[in-house]
Amino acid sequence: MKNNTMIKHLLKATLLGFATFSSIIVAAQGKLALPTVAHQEWSDAEIGAIFHFDMPTFKPDYNWRVYGSHPPASVFNPSKVNTDQWIAAAKAGGAKYAVLVAKHGSGFSLWPTAAHAYSVKNSPWKNGKGDLVRDFVESCKKYGLRPGIYASASTNGYLWADNPGVVQKGGPVDQKTYNKIVIQQLTELWTNYGKLFEIWFDGGVIPVNEGGPDVGALLKKLQPDAVVFQGPASAKSLIRWIGNEDGLAPYPNWSTTNGIDATKGFKENDFSGVPGGKIWCPGETDFPLRTGGFQGGWFWVDENQDMISKEKFLDNYITSVGRNSNMLIGIVVDSSGLVPKKDIALLKDFGDAVKVKYHPIATTSGSGKEILLDLGKMQLVKGVLIKEDIAKGERIREYRLEGFNGQNWKTIGGGSSVGHKRIEMLTRPSRLSKIKLILQNSAGTPIIKELGAIE
């Protein structure tokens, strides 16, 4: 996915200015930025999956930045593709939405694009009649997951384009032709497969005034309601990267920011967002289940690849969903076209465990500066869950947690950002009968959808 070169580019890039635009919900002075309906539905989903299946799956040593070395389309010939199996595995892991990497850095396209010859239509898979994007979307609908599509405009080994979508010297097409191909391919993907829940750019896209394709206008026309990761600044419902691929969102992690980089869909060094920012742009925390290989675990290499542990997987839930971010799980597909058995087992183990481990034993709701949760009896409490009503904005700036042990109230935790969900695991699990949430600082009256105790 994002390789070391790209990350260095992102972290060292000069901050670009941000122009105000009307299509994003922007807070007027003195008012809070609010999420779109799409933002709210996305936050409610909490867990998604992203599937990588590209030329590195068949040729693990292939590097698309060695231009002219791309494998022929005939290399793509999986014998057992079953997208139902993929989506069933994601659902077992708790995913509510799924994103297919329809075109990654190689430029090979998993649908029969009319833009160029490097796609499934010129592969032996299904005698060139297959459409993996269509199969994927249909499987999502079958299993009740909301579909998304990743199509990188920033890298394309086949057409010699690299971050952020600039055709390199000696390439087979010029910049103008490349831009037309980007628009043609995105038009196909955003027109032929129905309404999309999430659209991934990965590395952004060059703005029009710097010579890039006008994907913002196309997005507004064809998929205006999709949540957009690292997309053009004019996107209605932007989400941002959290700065790493380790499942570790920063804390605090605010849903708002004051500036969006028109190239990359987020502002440099603003991975944590800012409290009271003008733009609603929450973070998405992505990580692969596997490690090693080209780009660090996003693609299948072989059965000897290391995998993260169940314990690490569960920790990632706390450091993503528990820090006001969605969790996006990277799932590999092997060269036969299936999610490997041990990956499926890990997803199921995680999905079963998270329902129990982080399910609150008692909850309440309310508004104001102090919310009391009465557990009814002394119970062991290992953590506390807090959810704001983000439809009214992100209001909490600082909070403290107190617990009643039958004799005294004692401070058991505290923090700053809450947003859609904050899960704070206690340093010292305690037997308590009551928990009190004290809102020490807020922008307006705090509205708590849920205050819960975790055993």
Side-chain angles (χ1 to χ4, degrees), residues 122-406:
N122 288 313
S123 78
W125 178 63
K126 291 191 174 182
N127 296 315
K129 303 298 182 183
D131 186 339
L132 202 52
V133 176
R134 188 169 303 283
D135 293 346
F136 181 86
V137 171
E138 289 178 354
S139 292
C140 285
K141 293 177 181 177
K142 180 177 179 179
Y143 285 88
L145 271 64
R146 307 182 75 167
I149 290 177
Y150 168 128
S152 171
S154 64
T155 56
N156 189 315
Y158 176 66
L159 298 176
W160 295 35
D162 202 1
N163 299 318
V166 177
V167 175
Q168 306 301 297
K169 185 177 180 180
V173 297
D174 59 20
Q175 190 67 49
K176 185 176 180 180
T177 302
Y178 179 73
N179 289 350
K180 288 181 178 179
I181 289 172
V182 168
I183 292 297
Q184 182 174 350
Q185 291 205 305
L186 293 181
T187 299
E188 292 170 353
L189 290 170
W190 297 350
T191 302
N192 298 333
Y193 304 101
K195 185 175 181 179
L196 300 174
F197 183 61
E198 181 169 340
I199 289 171
W200 252 72
F201 280 93
D202 197 7
V205 60
I206 306 173
V208 177
N209 61 0
E210 294 181 24
D214 192 358
V215 300
L218 190 70
L219 184 66
K220 184 176 181 180
K221 176 183 177 182
L222 299 179
Q223 293 286 343
D225 297 323
V227 168
V228 182
F229 180 90
Q230 287 190 341
S234 60
K236 182 180 177 182
S237 301
L238 280 169
I239 57 176
R240 69 178 194 272
W241 188 37
I242 50 78
N244 65 74
E245 296 176 344
D246 300 320
L248 183 63
Y251 190 80
N253 183 36
W254 307 97
S255 298
T256 59
T257 183
N258 280 325
I260 297 297
D261 183 316
T263 303
K264 292 173 284 294
F266 66 93
K267 190 174 179 179
E268 299 292 356
N269 301 322
D270 189 20
F271 298 123
S272 295
V274 293
K278 296 179 180 180
I279 305 156
W280 193 275
C281 185
E284 185 172 50
T285 302
D286 58 329
F287 64 94
L289 292 185
R290 293 190 169 216
T291 60
F294 179 58
Q295 294 212 313
W298 293 105
F299 293 95
W300 181 82
V301 176
D302 55 41
E303 283 308 300
N304 296 319
Q305 259 179 297
D306 290 332
M307 298 185 67
I308 66 171
S309 65
K310 176 182 171 182
E311 291 70 29
K312 167 63 174 171
F313 205 166
L314 287 166
D315 286 344
N316 284 1
Y317 179 81
I318 291 296
T319 58
S320 58
V321 176
R323 292 183 178 178
N324 187 36
S325 172
N326 276 24
M327 168 191 272
L328 189 66
I329 306 165
I331 302 175
V332 301
V333 177
D334 67 23
S335 56
S336 77
L338 298 175
V339 175
K341 291 181 179 179
K342 64 181 181 181
D343 302 63
I344 293 174
L346 179 59
L347 285 161
K348 187 178 187 306
D349 284 349
F350 167 79
D352 290 344
V354 78
K355 293 174 186 175
V356 176
K357 189 175 179 68
Y358 301 120
H359 183 74
I361 56 176
T363 64
T364 190
S365 60
S367 62
K369 296 294 185 180
E370 190 172 297
I371 311 295
L372 178 68
L373 173 61
D374 191 339
L375 303 180
K377 61 180 180 179
M378 296 292 289
Q379 298 197 60
L380 180 65
V381 176
K382 296 180 180 178
V384 177
L385 178 152
I386 313 168
K387 295 180 68 173
E388 281 191 78
D389 183 357
I390 61 170
K392 306 296 192 300
E394 193 173 49
R395 299 186 176 191
I396 297 171
R397 299 290 179 265
E398 183 181 4
Y399 70 87
R400 185 173 79 251
L401 291 168
E402 294 188 355
F404 187 67
N405 62 11

